[in-house]
Amino acid sequence: MTTPKLDQALAGEIEALAGEGRAKPPERVITGYLPPAGTRGPRYTILGQDREFIRLNSNSYLSLSQHPALIAAADAATHACGVGPGAVRFIDGTFSYHRDLEERVARFTGKPAAKIFNSAYTSNCGLALAIGSAKTHWIGDQLNHNSIIRAMRIAGVPSGHKGIYRHNDMDDLRRCLDEVEDTIERVVVIFDGIFSMRGDYAPIDRIEAVCSEYRDRFQDGVITVVDDSHGIGAYGATGRGTSEYSGATPDIIVGTFGKAFGVNGGFIAASEMVVEAVRQKADTYIYTNPLSVADCAAACAAIDICDSDEGLQLLAALRERTGRFREGLTRLGLESIPGPHPVVPLMVRDTARTRAMVQGLFDKGVMVVGLTFPVVPKGDESIRIQINAAHTEADIDYVLEILARLQ
């Protein structure tokens, strides 16, 4: 071995994380899937556990990952073109399935063009590299996802060229815009569509109204960007996400196939010129192999389902189950953050009690995520619960029964 000193140093760093309460627990290993049966929704088996589990910590809001149409599409594409592209996109790694998915995303989002990535995380990083410049000022919501924050760092945005506004506070957004220096040529206002730990949403209509007041002040305007990873497919009357729900569409939409659509990968949807700039300038697109054709074909099938009568039925089921769960929390006198999104935070506001409730749910076959101090401030401790379309009324009632006993 040549890394004993490094190993010792890293062990100390990991031990420090554990002492701060920030270390990740060992990863649970899912070993199997049991399809819905009767009044029971899907169940999962976990390595080392002798019982089946309900997943209330899954982003698969429409429960499409096991859909026969997605599996068949992925299988057919794999048999047609193989399991990997063999090259990056600009060195003959582009297959018809990549182009088909990009065209499908553009139509679904109502944008002229789209470009796909391996994840929404790399999409955000690539976008920052593509549209940033020495005279670009970035403004973001204080609760933006880590991928947006990291994107600004990767793009080398200096501290003097960025602002942060209080969560969903339009007056503070206006303050940030007022403070932009006159030498700036373009401003990017970027925000999550759905804030993944809270389930609340960005008021895109109000953000657009504020930004429109400042667009003529800057040479290249004020560009609005939403990362709607938790919204696209799962939110709005037809699953178009936070833009559809709020009644306003930003200039650029970043999204994922890895949540409501149940597959893998991310995308940027925008004007043709923005997408071409991404193709020419985004390192996270240029220098890495693209999604497999299986992922692309499955994602296209998922979007087609979302755009069908079946998709509308899944969205209706998702809204009904979410409403049933939220109503149950209210009936039990438990606190949440209001909203129709299937991310439902249970505000516990105590670290020890949060951990005890998470363990209590696990002991009864329910997987959830607990957020405790110092990951969140004291008093904001919560359990993030995520409803999926395949959860049944019986599943929802069972979880509410457990929570009633754990209070």
Side-chain angles (χ1 to χ4, degrees):
M1 289 182 63
T2 60
T3 63
K5 293 181 179 179
L6 174 62
D7 292 344
Q8 184 176 3
L10 292 175
E13 293 173 15
I14 294 171
E15 185 178 350
L17 286 174
E20 296 169 359
R22 298 180 184 273
K24 305 293 186 295
E27 295 175 3
R28 292 192 286 253
V29 179
I30 294 175
T31 57
Y33 166 84
L34 298 133
T39 61
R40 188 203 73 177
R43 297 292 189 270
Y44 296 82
T45 56
I46 298 177
L47 185 67
Q49 300 292 325
D50 59 1
R51 70 174 305 149
E52 301 163 3
F53 287 83
I54 302 172
R55 288 195 69 186
L56 284 181
N57 59 357
S58 170
N59 300 317
S60 188
Y61 300 118
L62 295 182
S63 301
L64 290 177
S65 62
Q66 298 288 337
H67 197 289
L70 272 68
I71 294 171
D75 184 64
T78 300
H79 278 89
C81 295
V83 296
V88 297
R89 292 282 298 267
F90 78 96
I91 308 180
D92 299 326
T94 295
F95 286 65
S96 60
Y97 293 92
H98 299 115
R99 293 294 299 274
D100 290 346
L101 179 55
E102 287 166 346
E103 291 172 1
R104 190 67 183 88
V105 168
R107 293 199 308 273
F108 187 78
T109 59
K111 293 294 184 182
K115 190 57 65 180
I116 59 174
F117 285 72
N118 285 311
S119 67
Y121 201 110
T122 54
S123 300
N124 277 324
C125 294
L127 179 66
L129 291 166
I131 68 172
S133 70
K135 293 187 177 181
T136 299
H137 190 99
W138 295 75
I139 298 174
D141 189 290
Q142 72 177 123
L143 297 186
N144 274 349
H145 188 265
N146 174 273
S147 62
I148 296 175
I149 298 167
R150 184 63 63 182
M152 292 186 191
R153 293 175 182 169
I154 288 173
V157 180
S159 58
H161 283 191
K162 59 185 173 184
I164 298 173
Y165 61 92
R166 291 187 296 272
H167 179 54
N168 281 348
D169 186 328
M170 297 301 99
D171 289 336
D172 208 38
L173 170 57
R174 189 173 278 104
R175 174 193 61 80
C176 289
L177 286 161
D178 285 336
E179 291 177 353
V180 177
E181 297 175 357
D182 291 336
T183 56
I184 291 296
E185 294 179 350
R186 75 184 66 148
V187 175
V188 178
V189 176
I190 186 168
F191 45 89
D192 285 12
I194 301 296
F195 293 87
S196 60
M197 297 302 171
R198 298 167 52 88
D200 59 350
Y201 69 96
I204 300 179
D205 53 339
R206 295 165 58 206
I207 292 172
E208 285 291 324
V210 171
C211 291
S212 67
E213 300 172 16
Y214 293 82
R215 286 199 163 104
D216 291 340
R217 178 183 160 194
F218 304 101
Q219 175 181 302
D220 300 336
V222 177
I223 300 95
T224 51
V225 182
V226 63
D227 178 346
D228 207 22
S229 292
H230 284 269
I232 200 80
Y235 207 44
T238 64
R240 261 63 180 182
T242 310
S243 296
E244 182 174 42
Y245 186 84
S246 64
T249 302
D251 299 308
I252 300 172
I253 298 173
V254 176
T256 184
F257 308 116
K259 294 182 170 56
F261 294 129
V263 192
N264 188 38
F267 67 83
I268 296 168
S271 69
E272 291 181 356
M273 189 52 64
V274 167
V275 169
E276 178 61 11
V278 166
R279 192 179 77 86
Q280 296 288 349
K281 298 173 63 179
D283 290 358
T284 54
Y285 171 84
I286 296 168
Y287 298 110
T288 187
N289 275 8
L291 292 173
S292 71
V293 294
D295 282 325
C296 294
C300 274
I303 298 172
D304 286 344
I305 289 170
C306 191
D307 248 355
S308 69
D309 289 341
E310 181 184 0
L312 294 177
Q313 292 168 11
L314 288 170
L315 283 165
L318 181 61
R319 286 191 291 267
E320 193 280 329
R321 301 294 185 270
T322 301
R324 187 182 188 91
F325 186 70
R326 287 186 176 276
E327 289 167 8
L329 292 183
T330 300
R331 188 170 61 251
L332 294 173
L334 296 170
E335 179 189 358
S336 184
I337 296 173
H341 192 270
V343 169
V344 185
L346 172 56
M347 305 307 296
V348 183
R349 303 196 183 282
D350 179 84
T351 288
R353 185 169 173 238
T354 299
R355 289 173 177 165
M357 292 181 75
V358 169
Q359 186 61 51
L361 286 160
F362 186 81
D363 292 342
K364 295 295 183 181
V366 180
M367 292 190 287
V368 294
V369 173
L371 304 169
T372 58
F373 178 81
V375 175
V376 297
K378 284 185 177 180
D380 285 348
E381 294 90 345
S382 64
I383 297 172
R384 184 174 75 167
I385 296 166
Q386 293 164 280
I387 309 300
N388 292 178
H391 291 143
T392 65
E393 292 183 356
D395 291 340
I396 298 299
D397 293 345
Y398 173 68
V399 175
L400 289 169
E401 289 171 10
I402 297 170
L403 289 173
R405 293 196 294 270
L406 291 175
Q407 287 193 79

